[in-house]
Each structure stands twice: as structure tokens, then as C-alpha cells.
Amino acid sequence: MLISLIVPCYNEEESLPHLYNALCEVRDSEACQDKTFEFIFINDGSSDKTAELIKEYAASDPCVRYVLFSRNFGKESAMYAGLQKAKGDYVAIMDADMQDPPSLIPDMIKSLDADECDIVAARRVTREGEPKIRSFFARSFYRIINKMCDVEIADGARDFRLMKRTVVDAILKVTERQRFSKGIFAWVGFRTEWIEHVNTPRVAGETKWSFWKLFRYAIDGIVAFTIAPLRFASIAGFICAAAGFIYLLYYFIRAIILQIYNDVPGYPSLLCFILFIGGLILMALGLIGEYVGRTYIETKGRPVYITAEESEEEQN
Ligand code: UDP
Ligand code: MG
């Protein structure tokens, strides 16, 4: 039985050796004697020595296969490339920085072997070592997206997971370009078992996700998985229009029946309303823009990534 381990790497020259050693340990451990492994490293356009490291490993170790991207396409694209390349019966995705403990892999394999589930996924139960403000926004994101979407996206779920072949094939059938894997994993379904672990800090290097990048990613996730915000825009618009109409009626009655005309003091409230409604319209337009933009990008049908070089494949 073949097990593929996919590792997206972006400027990971410091942590990659740690991970590679840990993966070799797993491969050579007692528990995994009856399994064969392939390690698939995806170099996501790193500007450091990551690519050279990966090629070195591939030269000395037949388990290692790789794809080198022509530039940085993002972790999502790297995961997709890895899934496409993987041939294993079980496929796992893990970070290069040891935040996804490789020591969990034997247990994950055991669960799949016992056929208790189709996916074993890891989930952080703590966010220790992460800036407080980031945890707060992350938690809010999960609350919001789960209210709006039909599929449940677990808080603290990482991309670290071991999946059966059927699940991988299902994920590869989702060919959209603006990928939000946490959502896609939940969307394809299948029986999932969660392994909980505490947050492990990075072994080396720095996180590649700035606050702004994470924020964009959150918007991508919401827009990719629900059209609820569009509905929100129309509901809010309707409420405002209704309020405006009632307001208008009120003044009309005041003028016709009560004969009150001297309305200069009403000027501030008028201004408020104009500003408020103007803001709402802009917001709704922005929302629609997100979806239209997305449609535009999808219709261009560009590939998710461009390969500069990949490990040689033996012909079968
Ligand atoms: N990564 C990538 N492309 C990117 C950013 C990150 O392939 O543009 C990889 C990175 O090398 C690592 C994983 O995605 O293996 C997770 O990144 P990181 O540890 O920076 O994220 P965090 O753990 O802080 O969420
Ligand atoms: Mg990390």
C-alpha cells in the first residue's frame, strides 16, 4: 500500500531538513513496515535554497518526488498540484514547518486501515503561541462562515489530513481556480475523524501569512462557499428602502394633514439618510463586485499553477 505525503514549501530552507528527517523516521518506524511511502515536495516559488534542498533529497532518495513552480502561486495551488501528482492509496497534506506533527501519521494510517472513516484530520484545540488578535479574528471568521454556509468548517481544522483515494479523486473533481481547501474538504463530505492536538510552534523560519493575506483568504473562503452575503445586500437594501418610504409618507402626511412646512431642522437627518443609503449601495456594489470578479477569473480558465520543473516519472 502506497502512502503519499504532500508538503507545500515556500521559503522553508530552515525547517525542511527537520521535516524530512521526521518523515524518514515515520517511514522507517515499526508501525509502518508494511507500507511504502512517497514524499511529494511542492516548491511554491521560494526565493531561498528550498528548491535545491528538495532536488538534493530527490537525488539521494527514490521516495522523493517534487514539483517546482515557476513563481509563488500560494499554498492552495501547491496543495492542488500535490494532490494531482500523488499516486498513493492514502494521501496526506502537511506543512513544512513541523506544525503538523509527523508523529501523528502512524495513528492516522491505523484509523483508515480499520475503515472507521475516510478522512483523518487534525485540529488544533489551542491557539497558543499565536497573537491574540489573530486568534480573535480567526474565531470570528469560523463563526461567520458557519452561519452562512451549508457545510460545516471546523474551527481550528488544519489542512493536515490523511485521505483515502476516493476522497482525493473527489477533491480533484473540484476544479475551481480560487481554491479554499478547508471549504472544499468539508464540501466533498465523507466520514471524517478528528485528531486533536495542541498548537506546536514553527521549528524555524517565519509564518508566510501576514494579517492582510489571511484577511483576503477569509474573504475568498466566504465568497467561494456561499452567496449569503449577496442576499444580505438585497435584504439590507430592502429594509433601507422601506424605511425611506415610511419616512417619506410621514412627511407627506405632516405636510398635507397637519400643514407643517417649516422643515429646515430636518436637514441633518436627511443628510444622515443620504450618507447611510449611499454607503449601503456602495457596500452592495462591492459585494457584487467580489462575485463578478470571481466569475471573471474563473471564465478565463487559467491553470491553477505553472510547473517549471518536476521529478522524473517512471512510465507505467
Ligand atoms: N506556503 C506555501 N505558499 C505560500 C505560503 C505558505 O506553500 O504562499 C506553505 C508553507 O511553506 C508551509 C505551509 O504553507 O509549509 C503553511 O505556511 P505557514 O507555516 O507560513 O502558515 P501558518 O502555519 O502560519 O498558518
Ligand atoms: Mg505554519
Side-chain angles (χ1 to χ4, degrees):
M1 174 174 279
L2 180 65
I3 295 171
S4 313
L5 303 179
I6 300 169
V7 187
C9 313
Y10 177 51
N11 294 346
E12 298 285 4
E13 61 177 1
E14 286 163 58
S15 24
L16 206 56
H18 296 274
L19 180 85
Y20 179 66
N21 289 338
L23 291 185
C24 290
E25 252 169 56
V26 171
R27 176 185 60 190
D28 302 331
S29 68
E30 277 294 316
C32 300
Q33 278 314 305
D34 53 336
K35 312 277 192 252
T36 42
F37 282 83
E38 59 173 3
F39 305 153
I40 302 178
F41 293 108
I42 313 293
N43 174 39
D44 186 11
S46 305
S47 52
D48 63 359
K49 296 241 157 27
T50 306
E52 281 85 342
L53 259 180
I54 293 175
K55 284 208 230 164
E56 252 169 54
Y57 295 149
S60 63
D61 184 344
C63 287
V64 175
R65 301 168 65 210
Y66 62 85
V67 179
L68 309 183
F69 283 2
S70 59
R71 64 170 174 85
N72 179 249
F73 280 92
K75 187 185 177 191
E76 289 291 336
S77 308
M79 290 196 289
Y80 185 66
L83 289 175
Q84 281 186 323
K85 203 167 172 65
K87 292 185 184 150
D89 304 289
Y90 296 165
V91 178
I93 299 175
M94 54 198 311
D95 285 4
D97 57 3
M98 303 280 282
Q99 279 190 306
D100 300 331
S103 53
L104 290 178
I105 291 175
D107 285 338
M108 291 173 136
I109 294 174
K110 238 180 258 163
S111 302
L112 286 196
D113 274 342
D115 204 24
E116 289 155 4
C117 55
D118 305 304
I119 305 166
V120 192
R123 166 191 219 159
R124 286 188 291 187
V125 281
T126 59
R127 287 182 175 271
E128 258 156 60
E130 197 183 56
K132 285 253 161 16
I133 180 98
R134 179 173 285 200
S135 307
F136 168 76
F137 278 109
R139 291 239 155 81
S140 317
F141 165 71
Y142 285 108
R143 252 204 319 276
I144 293 172
I145 196 164
N146 281 326
K147 279 237 168 66
M148 294 196 296
C149 294
D150 306 333
V151 290
E152 170 86 18
I153 298 173
D155 183 4
R158 300 185 53 83
D159 295 321
F160 183 30
R161 51 186 59 227
L162 185 70
M163 301 171 278
K164 285 191 181 164
R165 189 76 239 170
T166 39
V167 182
V168 176
D169 290 340
I171 292 172
L172 287 176
K173 274 194 199 131
V174 180
T175 54
E176 61 199 40
R177 268 137 260 281
Q178 309 257 308
R179 304 182 71 78
F180 181 67
S181 288
K182 286 190 174 72
I184 296 173
F185 293 149
W187 186 84
V188 295
F190 294 101
R191 294 169 298 166
T192 305
E193 186 182 297
W194 294 97
I195 293 189
E196 299 194 335
H197 67 95
V198 291
N199 194 24
T200 341
R202 247 177 181 280
V203 273
E206 277 182 1
T207 177
K208 310 297 179 305
W209 294 87
S210 63
F211 184 78
W212 185 239
K213 213 167 162 189
L214 271 177
F215 182 73
R216 286 287 333 158
Y217 190 58
I219 299 280
D220 273 350
I222 291 173
V223 175
F225 272 86
T226 171
I227 54 165
L230 278 181
R231 217 167 297 143
F232 166 77
S234 37
I235 292 171
F238 177 78
I239 291 173
C240 283
F245 184 69
I246 292 167
Y247 203 54
L248 190 96
L249 225 68
Y250 165 71
Y251 273 103
F252 192 69
I253 292 168
R254 236 161 71 117
I256 301 285
I257 302 174
L258 307 174
Q259 310 269 313
I260 307 171
Y261 297 113
N262 57 337
D263 243 2
V264 180
Y267 182 69
S269 63
L270 203 67
L271 202 67
C272 289
F273 267 102
I274 291 173
L275 283 178
F276 179 60
I277 300 218
L280 263 184
I281 292 172
L282 279 182
M283 202 182 75
L285 272 180
L287 261 179
I288 293 166
E290 286 283 336
Y291 287 91
V292 174
R294 207 78 23 143
T295 317
Y296 170 62
I297 288 171
E298 291 294 333
T299 48
K300 280 201 285 197
R302 291 195 179 161
V304 176
Y305 60 89
I306 302 287
T307 308
E309 187 184 332
E310 61 186 314
S311 52
E312 265 150 49
E313 302 291 319
E314 67 270 24
Q315 302 296 319
N316 10 324

